[in-house]
Amino acid sequence: MDGRRNAILTAIYASKQLFTLLFSATLESDDEEDELAEAFLLEAHLRLRGPSRKAVRIEGYVENTVPRFNTKQFRENYRMLPSTFALLENRLGPILAGDTGNKPCIPVRTQLLASLWLLATPDSFRSVGLKHNLAKSSVNASIQRVVAGLNDMAKNIIKWPAGDHLDSVKQKFQRLSNMPDVIGAIDGCNISIEAPKEHSLHYKTRKRDYAVVLQAVCDSELRFTDCFAGYPGSVGDRRIFRNSDLFLDAERNVNALFPNGEYIIADKAYPVLSWCIPPYIDNGHLTRAHKRFNTVLSQSRQVVERSFALLKGRFRRLKHLDMKRVDLIPSFILACCVLHNICLDGLEEDQVEEDNVDDFIGEGLEVVRQQERENDDDDNNNIRFQKGEAKRAHLVALLVRDN
């Protein structure tokens, strides 16, 4: 094959020389000679390669097929209600329609639908581009713009409860758990990734796979109120917690986040603080009241497990995030957390359509339990701050009194 190609190229070059010799007498300038020679070479090159052809893709899917989806079909494919998508399109529209330089702008709806499909499925970039009539590079550009836009919105979507909202969150949690002043449950969740090229051992979990950790606080209705992502899977929950923005902000001014003695509930990997209450570690000497307290707290903490399950069940790419650039992974995770809250918020704004999240939770729950964070109990015997211990003892006393 190489010999035949070289022979063809040699023939083209010889033809160019002959062409130049025959017509040089009639040419008025060297510029005209060069132009004709280049035109001749271009024609010969096209004959060799054949005419360029546009990649075959599905045309009209976004314009003609998607608008004919009913609510169920749209939700199955894009993992959210059409009304929620409309809200999202209005919010992200100005960002996605921004200046793209000299390149033609991809329609906002196409960018958003392709990105949602990519996050909602494990499909390849090429497959998503084929369906949405986009080149692979255009899909990549679209998802990066959507992720960047969602990250810019994060502070307005993932919000710590304050004011009247804080009181509402407390009341809903108390109805759920019968524990007073709880405003959230915290935990860590593994997001499986490809083995990074550098520092891969840092990302390896005890189950020998690779992961990045998402630490999140959620309320009783599964909304995230704080998210912190990016630490490697080998790092324990306690260390991640102590380096998180939530912990640092609370250390600086605990009253700003917990103005009336509120607190979040956690598992045994977390320290006992006045604003963070884990269960008692069972050392074989727990009283009946302590065991009862652990049971109630464990049941209340199930909301954060369900939040992670809903997140992974809705946005299935998070079950295994096959990205080569580890530095971009936290922004992708946070973008999915923002979409998670937008979907739940959209439920309140639209009472006509139903988004039964239990089926999404069912899809994600098994994965969450398989990727459950493991922590060494010896490492979990953390420093017991007096205020935290006193707060936990007070809660045990309240529980005994109420029973």
Side-chain angles (χ1 to χ4, degrees):
M1 180 63 74
D2 289 340
R4 181 173 178 273
R5 180 179 178 85
N6 291 335
I8 293 173
L9 292 175
T10 301
I12 291 174
Y13 180 76
S15 298
K16 175 193 173 186
Q17 297 297 99
L18 179 61
F19 177 85
T20 303
L21 181 62
L22 290 173
F23 289 93
S24 60
T26 60
L27 294 174
E28 297 180 358
S29 68
D30 290 340
D31 290 341
E32 292 181 6
E33 178 184 346
D34 291 340
E35 288 176 6
L36 284 172
E38 288 176 5
F40 179 83
L41 281 175
L42 177 61
E43 183 179 357
H45 180 68
L46 289 176
R47 287 178 180 176
L48 179 65
R49 293 190 57 186
S52 61
R53 297 176 181 175
K54 182 180 178 182
V56 177
R57 306 189 194 104
I58 300 174
E59 296 186 4
Y61 179 81
V62 172
E63 298 81 4
N64 302 321
T65 304
V66 174
R68 295 204 300 268
F69 282 166
N70 58 33
T71 298
K72 180 181 178 181
Q73 290 171 326
F74 188 92
R75 181 178 177 274
E76 286 176 348
N77 286 292
Y78 293 101
R79 318 300 278 182
M80 64 175 58
L81 296 172
S83 56
T84 304
F85 176 81
L87 293 172
L88 182 63
E89 189 177 17
N90 288 335
R91 291 185 180 184
L92 282 179
I95 299 173
L96 300 182
D99 182 21
T100 57
N102 296 324
K103 296 182 179 180
C105 182
I106 304 170
V108 169
R109 178 161 294 185
T110 302
Q111 292 187 63
L112 195 51
L113 287 174
S115 298
L116 288 175
W117 190 289
L118 196 68
L119 294 173
T121 70
D123 291 358
S124 67
F125 279 60
R126 191 179 302 279
S127 174
V128 175
L130 176 67
K131 181 175 289 292
H132 294 85
N133 194 21
L134 293 174
K136 182 179 176 182
S137 59
S138 297
V139 176
N140 185 53
S142 295
I143 186 65
Q144 289 197 32
R145 297 185 74 198
V146 169
V147 165
L150 290 169
N151 275 256
D152 289 342
M153 295 166 51
K155 62 180 181 296
N156 297 319
I157 304 297
I158 302 175
K159 298 185 294 185
W160 194 258
D164 293 339
H165 184 215
L166 178 69
D167 294 333
S168 174
V169 169
K170 282 196 295 187
Q171 292 170 7
K172 290 176 181 177
F173 240 118
Q174 185 158 4
R175 287 198 294 269
L176 174 72
S177 65
N178 200 32
M179 293 181 67
D181 297 328
V182 178
I183 60 172
I186 188 171
D187 205 351
C189 175
N190 281 341
I191 306 294
S192 290
I193 62 171
E194 292 291 316
K197 293 181 179 179
E198 299 179 357
H199 311 297
S200 60
L201 291 179
H202 295 283
Y203 291 88
K204 209 165 193 177
T205 68
R206 295 182 182 181
K207 294 184 178 179
R208 313 302 293 174
D209 56 0
Y210 296 90
V212 164
V213 181
L214 165 64
Q215 175 189 280
V217 180
C218 76
D219 63 19
S220 63
E221 297 181 317
L222 311 185
R223 289 178 181 81
F224 293 126
T225 56
D226 184 81
C227 294
F228 182 69
Y231 264 79
S234 62
V235 181
D237 284 344
R238 185 165 67 98
R239 181 179 170 191
I240 295 173
F241 174 69
R242 290 188 177 279
N243 285 277
S244 67
D245 296 332
L246 173 63
F247 182 85
L248 297 176
D249 289 343
E251 287 291 291
R252 283 190 290 265
N253 186 2
V254 67
N255 291 327
L257 299 176
F258 308 94
N260 301 301
E262 295 88 359
Y263 56 96
I264 57 177
I265 54 178
D267 72 9
K268 61 184 180 180
Y270 293 82
V272 184
L273 305 170
S274 63
W275 54 272
C276 179
I277 304 297
Y280 287 91
I281 295 177
D282 192 352
N283 53 12
H285 299 89
L286 294 185
T287 66
R288 181 180 299 178
H290 290 156
K291 291 179 179 180
R292 170 62 180 163
F293 171 81
N294 282 0
T295 299
V296 173
L297 189 143
S298 177
Q299 292 172 347
S300 304
R301 278 191 58 259
Q302 289 179 5
V303 293
V304 71
E305 184 184 69
R306 287 172 58 82
S307 288
F308 287 142
L310 176 56
L311 178 71
K312 289 187 175 184
R314 194 189 292 272
F315 303 110
R316 291 169 287 180
R317 187 163 293 271
L318 292 184
K319 294 179 181 180
H320 185 79
L321 200 53
D322 53 344
M323 294 177 60
K324 295 180 180 178
R325 290 189 56 182
V326 178
D327 59 312
L328 296 180
I329 288 177
S331 61
F332 268 70
I333 296 173
L334 183 60
C336 291
C337 293
V338 171
L339 289 172
H340 169 97
N341 275 16
I342 288 175
C343 290
L344 292 175
D345 291 339
L347 261 178
E348 290 188 345
E349 297 182 25
D350 189 352
Q351 300 297 327
V352 178
E353 298 172 326
E354 280 192 30
D355 187 15
N356 182 8
V357 299
D358 287 340
D359 51 353
F360 290 148
I361 293 174
E363 287 185 41
L365 197 56
E366 182 178 352
V367 177
V368 168
R369 287 173 177 169
Q370 287 175 351
Q371 298 174 346
E372 194 174 44
R373 300 281 296 155
E374 294 180 357
N375 294 277
D376 190 345
D377 285 346
D378 291 337
D379 185 48
N380 292 334
N381 287 320
N382 39 57
I383 299 174
R384 305 297 202 228
F385 294 101
Q386 288 186 348
K387 289 184 178 179
E389 285 288 9
K391 181 70 164 281
R392 189 163 63 173
H394 173 68
L395 293 172
V396 172
L398 288 178
L399 189 62
V400 171
R401 185 196 67 185
D402 291 342
N403 286 340

